[in-house]
Amino acid sequence: MNIALPAIIAFLIILPGFAFRSRWQIVDGTRLDYSPFGQVVVNAVIYAALIHSIILAFSAVVLDRGVRFDVLIRLLSSSATPSDYELVHRDIAWVSAYFFAALFVPIMLAYAVKKIVSEFRLDRKDSRLCDIFRFKRAPWYYLLSGADFSKIKCLILFR
């Protein structure tokens, strides 16, 4: 086996974290994110672990399907057997649906969480959850959108 399959599998496992992070972050003034690479990767890995946990729990409870981690480990290493490839080939529809869900869920989840944070104003300076939900790299967003103003001030200023 060559090195391409483990790299593709690792990429597919981490990709949902990057998808969630890219849809969740608000960065001012530029489309490029200049965050440190290590911070971006750590965030993506944490988000990916949470997303995979949610999808695997749903799959186990609702669909009564699980992941064969022994096969996954062998596919990531050089000890994969032909029976491992046959197992993946037999369940290719479920594997494809899983990875499609792993990319679709984080994008929708990021939009939903961002909408809830904005709607309930959880990222305002006077919110108790400000440290968790505030976009620290977007000071102009808060100033120009009126997110830090009270609702009454926003209605007066932005009519």
Side-chain angles (χ1 to χ4, degrees), residues 19-82:
F20 180 82
R21 187 185 179 285
S22 71
R23 298 291 184 242
W24 167 249
Q25 296 292 321
I26 294 177
V27 179
D28 279 342
T30 182
R31 292 201 176 268
L32 297 176
D33 186 7
Y34 294 106
S35 298
F37 181 72
Q39 177 185 1
V40 171
V41 172
V42 168
N43 286 344
V45 168
I46 291 170
Y47 294 148
L50 292 173
I51 291 162
H52 284 297
S53 299
I54 291 168
I55 295 172
L56 287 173
F58 175 81
S59 179
V61 171
V62 176
L63 303 175
D64 197 28
R65 297 290 302 254
V67 172
R68 296 268 316 264
F69 288 106
D70 58 331
V71 174
L72 179 64
I73 296 296
R74 284 194 299 269
L75 287 173
L76 287 171
S77 68
S78 61
S79 61
T81 63

Side-chain angles (χ1 to χ4, degrees), residues 1-12 72-80 85:
M1 164 157 83
N2 60 17
I3 196 162
L5 183 62
I8 291 171
I9 293 171
F11 175 73
L12 288 174
L72 179 64
I73 296 296
R74 284 194 299 269
L75 287 173
L76 287 171
S77 68
S78 61
S79 61
Y85 295 116

